[in-house]
Structures are given as C-alpha cells and as structure tokens.
C-alpha cells in the first residue's frame, strides 16, 4: 500500500485485481440465484421443495459462518477466499453439466446446495476482511463504496440477463423440463465467472500471506471471544438481535414468495423473476448512492433512521401480495431496494468504524450469520406454509410483521443510540 491516502483505491494494482475478479463473479452469482429456484420449481412444482433447498444451503452456511470468520482472523483472507471460491466453482460446474446432460434430480440438487452453502460460509467473511490489507485506512470508505456499488450493479444487470438466457433456452430440454438448456447455460455462466475471480485472487499479494496473525487459542475459543466482544457492545448487540428477528420472520417468505409470484401470477415467467430482482438491485444501487446524504441528515440518529426505513419497507412488501403485474412488482421492489440500500451502506460503515480491526472477520461473520444464515432457514417453513395460506396472505404477513417489529423497536434505547463511533473491547 504505497500510494498516498488521498489517491483512489483503483490506483492500487491488487485492489483492481480484486475488484475486477469479484465484479465478474458477482454478476455470475446472479445467474445461479435466478436459475436455482427455477430449476427446483421445474423439477418439483413444489414451494416446499424450494424452501427445503434454500434451507439446505443455509444450514452449513449458518453452522460454519462463525468458524469461517475466526479462520479469516487467524489466516490470510486471500487464501481462505481462494479455497472457498475454488470449491464453489467446482460445484456450480458440476451442476451445469448435470442439467445440460439431463442427469439432474433433486437428490443431487440437495447435495450440491449443501456444498455451496458450506463454501459460502468461508467466502463471505473472507471477502469482507481482505480490503484492509489492500488499501490504506483512509481509502477504506471509498473502497467499500466501490464494492457496494459493484454488487448493486450486478444485481441490476445479472438477474435480467439470467432470466433472458433461461427463457431463450426454453425450447431445448430433457424429459419434462423444457428450460433445461437455458438453466444449464445459466449455471455455466456462473462457473465461468468463478474462473476469472480465481485468476485475479491468484495474482494478488497481501500482507497476511507472509505475516499471519498470532494464533491465541483454538478456533472455537476465537469464535467465543468474537461473540463476547459483540455482546459487550450494547448498540451492536441490539442491532444483531434485531437483524436476526427480521431475517427469521421476513427473509424466508420473500425468498420463496418471489419465484412463486413470478411462476403463478406474473406474465413473463422466468423473465419476470429476473426483472423483479433487477428492479430490487437497481433500487439498492440508488439507495447506496443516497446513503451518505441520509446519514448526514439524521446525524447520530442512525438507529431511528434504520427502524423508520424498515417500517416503510414492510408496507411495500405487504402490497406485493396484491400484485399481478411485472411492472408494478418491479416498482415495489425498486422501492424496497432503495430503502434497503440506504440501510446497508450506513450500517456497514458504522460497524467498520466501531469494531477493532483484529475482530473484523468474526464481527462481520456474526452479522452475516443473522442475514444469510437465519433468513433462508425460515424459507423451509414459508414453503410449507404456502400449503395452508395463499401467496398474498404470506406477503402481507411478512411485510406487516416487519413494520410491527420496526415500530416496536423504536422504544429501545440501545437501537436508538446506533451511530456512536465507539470501539468494542479487544479480544483474542
């Protein structure tokens, strides 16, 4: 990191390699995010099966996310990220070959979903911890902003392209699954994107590769120390608990509900799902750009801003249950994406300022556990509930529950105090 703090992070060779490889991989990920739910629905026609597949990915991700964060703090995040993305590349390649060859069945889908979830448990905390080793501290804000914008752009471009590719291959298939060719090609695009990411990571050199941190105690002891450090910080603890509750009550119904909405009530099939996800990504992109302005307007009332935004997002999600139009659904999801983008950037920036660097991997893994580990677990329950309640009722319940939770939490002093740039106690 030889350049001056005032220069752009893009002036750094290693940052450019990471940014380019991760950007291509992020677009590829969107192809699988669209194709996998569609594959399950075409194989089974069952929302319960879709929820179970999402839960199968979530279980190892939830179980190993905290261990992944501890490993990142003990080892080089580049090496952990290289191994995790290599495993994902292999698994998605196998999935693409099986779909194109007409040999896919639900047993293999469950097995591959389990492996992808396990690899992701290590990839996410590693990806969040590598930036401080590539750029100067004064460049971290700009570097994170670039990565957040890149992720939102991938959500804007990737799902629409995936939906179009799956639809274009609808006439080529095996047996009763007419979308097999398009689905196989979608998984193939994701596999190819991992190759670019692996190539960029192989060329990157970071300080942690040659100067690993001292290993004080075992991995489980490191995990425990990380949880204790977060628990000791009252506002951070309150936010993690709040995020966990929201993920359980809202995340699963949305993951199962959107593919079902596109398949049963909208007019463009897989393309509708891609458009809905693209609209959400576009909204998040705009929200991330507005997050700085929002943070300046609310100043130290970041907690109240987050809760107020979540209460509005809940109403928008409830209205989604009444939707019969791809355009109207896209407008609602763009709105929720905009609100979510503001929350995401402001909260992550607050945590990065608050948490000690040596605890970053474990803290971020705990936060990711609440969003990516717990949320999909409720998808299995949501899929089963759709046998008992209608799709509009599920959306209304999830959205109104989010609004009610956010409004109730406005009475919490700990959540209202979010925004204070303090540090948690250091731990092993």
């Amino acid at each position: 990191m030889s350049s001056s703090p005032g220069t752009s992070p893009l002036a750094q060779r290693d940052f450019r390699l990471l940014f380019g490889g991760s950007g291509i991989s992020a677009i590829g990920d969107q192809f699988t995010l669209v194709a996998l739910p569609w594959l399950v629905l075409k194989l089974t026609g069952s929302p319960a099966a879709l929820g179970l597949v999402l839960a199968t990915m979530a279980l190892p991700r939830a179980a190993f996310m905290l261990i992944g964060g501890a490993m990142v703090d003990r080892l080089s995040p580049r090496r952990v990220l290289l191994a995790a993305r290599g495993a994902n590349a292999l698994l998605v390649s196998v999935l693409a070959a099986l779909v194109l060859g007409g040999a896919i069945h639900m047993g293999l889908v469950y097995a591959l979903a389990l492996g992808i979830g396990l690899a992701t448990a290590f990839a996410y905390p590693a990806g969040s911890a590598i930036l401080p080793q590539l750029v100067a501290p004064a460049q971290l804000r700009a570097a994170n902003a670039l990565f957040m914008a890149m992720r939102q752009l991938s959500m804007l471009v990737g799902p629409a392209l995936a939906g179009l590719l799956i639809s274009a291959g609808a006439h080529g298939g095996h047996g009763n699954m007419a979308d097999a060719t398009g689905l196989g090609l979608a998984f193939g695009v994701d596999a190819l994107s991992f190759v670019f990411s692996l190539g960029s990571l192989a060329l990157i050199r970071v300080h942690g590769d040659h100067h690993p941190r001292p290993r004080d105690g075992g991995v489980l002891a490191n995990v425990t120390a990380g949880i204790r450090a977060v628990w000791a910080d009252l506002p951070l603890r309150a936010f993690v608990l709040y995020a966990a509750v929201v993920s359980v009550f809202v995340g699963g119904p949305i993951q199962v509900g959107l593919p079902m909405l596109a398949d049963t009530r909208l007019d463009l099939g897989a393309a509708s799902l891609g458009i809905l996800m693209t609209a959400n990504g576009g909204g998040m992109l705009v929200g991330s750009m507005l997050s700085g302005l929002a943070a300046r307007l609310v100043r130290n009332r970041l907690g109240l801003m987050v809760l107020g935004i979540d209460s509005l997002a809940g109403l928008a999600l409830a209205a989604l249950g009444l939707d019969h139009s791809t355009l109207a659904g896209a407008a609602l999801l763009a709105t929720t994406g905009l609100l979510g983008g503001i929350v995401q950037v402001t909260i992550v920036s607050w945590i990065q300022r608050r948490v000690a660097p040596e605890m970053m991997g474990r803290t971020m893994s705990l936060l990711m556990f609440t969003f990516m580990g717990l949320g999909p677990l409720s998808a299995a329950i949501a899929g089963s509930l759709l046998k008992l309640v209608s799709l509009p009722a599920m959306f209304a319940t999830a959205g109104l529950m989010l609004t009610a939770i956010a409004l109730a939490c406005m009475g919490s002093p700990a959540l209202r105090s979010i925004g204070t740039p303090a540090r948690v106690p250091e731990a092993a």
Side-chain angles (χ1 to χ4, degrees), residues 34 46-47 51 62 72 87 105 127 194 205 211 250 281 283 287 301 303 312 341 390 401 410:
V34 173
S46 169
V72 168
H105 56 78
F194 275 117
R205 296 294 178 266
H211 301 86
V250 178
R301 297 182 177 86
L312 295 175
S390 66
M401 184 69 72
M410 285 186 177

Side-chain angles (χ1 to χ4, degrees), residues 31-117:
F31 280 74
T32 291
L33 288 175
V34 173
L36 185 59
W38 206 253
L39 171 65
V40 174
L41 289 177
K42 292 305 172 185
L43 285 174
T44 67
S46 169
L50 173 57
L52 188 56
V53 167
L54 295 175
T56 301
M57 293 180 67
L59 282 171
R61 187 168 58 197
F64 289 91
M65 183 74 76
L66 300 181
I67 293 176
M71 293 300 296
V72 168
D73 283 340
R74 291 165 64 93
L75 304 173
S76 161
R78 186 191 74 91
R79 290 175 178 171
V80 175
L81 189 58
L82 192 62
R85 288 187 175 172
N88 268 330
L90 176 62
L91 292 167
V92 176
S93 296
V94 170
L95 181 57
L98 290 171
V99 173
L100 288 172
I104 193 65
H105 56 78
M106 284 304 299
L108 291 172
V109 172
Y110 288 125
L112 291 169
L114 188 72
I116 291 171

Side-chain angles (χ1 to χ4, degrees), residues 100 139 144 180 190 207 209 231 237 242 317 319 323 339 361 402:
L100 288 172
Q139 296 176 319
N144 280 299
D190 191 16
H207 182 269
D209 283 346
W231 193 259
R237 180 210 311 176
Y242 167 76
L317 291 175
D323 180 43
L339 298 174
L402 174 58

Side-chain angles (χ1 to χ4, degrees), residues 24 75 82 88 140 167 176 206 227 230 233 241 257 268 273 306 309 311 331 341 353 367 381 403 405 422:
I24 294 173
L75 304 173
L82 192 62
N88 268 330
L140 278 174
S167 296
N176 295 324
V206 298
I227 295 173
V230 172
D233 186 318
L241 292 175
L268 301 177
L273 179 59
V306 171
I309 284 177
S311 66
R353 291 193 302 269
L367 183 65
I381 300 175
T403 298
I405 292 171

Side-chain angles (χ1 to χ4, degrees), residues 1 42 103 107 122 165 177 190 202 207 229 259 274 281 308 322 334 352 381 411:
M1 297 186 297
K42 292 305 172 185
F122 292 85
L165 179 60
M177 196 170 71
D190 191 16
H207 182 269
L322 304 175
Q352 288 176 332
I381 300 175

Side-chain angles (χ1 to χ4, degrees), residues 152 155 250 254 258 276-277 279-288 309-320 328-344 395 399 402:
Q152 306 317 320
M155 293 174 67
V250 178
I254 298 307
L258 284 184
L276 293 180
M277 295 176 69
N280 187 253
M284 293 191 73
L285 174 61
V286 176
S288 66
I309 284 177
D310 280 353
S311 66
L312 295 175
L315 296 177
L317 291 175
L320 194 61
L332 286 170
L333 284 172
T335 301
T336 58
L338 185 148
L339 298 174
I342 293 174
V343 169
Q344 177 181 315
F395 273 120
L402 174 58

Side-chain angles (χ1 to χ4, degrees), residues 186-286:
F187 291 124
V189 168
D190 191 16
L192 182 61
S193 75
F194 275 117
V195 174
F196 286 94
S197 177
L198 292 171
S200 69
L201 284 170
L203 295 173
I204 290 173
R205 296 294 178 266
V206 298
H207 182 269
D209 283 346
H210 308 289
H211 301 86
R213 295 170 182 170
R215 302 179 185 180
D216 187 7
V219 174
L220 294 180
N222 293 159
V223 171
T224 302
I227 295 173
R228 287 176 177 170
V230 172
W231 193 259
D233 186 318
L234 184 57
L236 186 56
R237 180 210 311 176
F239 176 75
V240 170
L241 292 175
Y242 167 76
V245 171
V246 170
S247 295
V248 168
F249 281 98
V250 178
I254 298 307
Q255 290 184 56
V256 174
L258 284 184
M260 287 299 299
L261 179 69
D263 191 33
T264 62
R265 303 186 67 183
L266 301 185
D267 50 346
L268 301 177
S272 287
L273 179 59
I275 291 170
L276 293 180
M277 295 176 69
T278 297
N280 187 253
M284 293 191 73
L285 174 61
V286 176

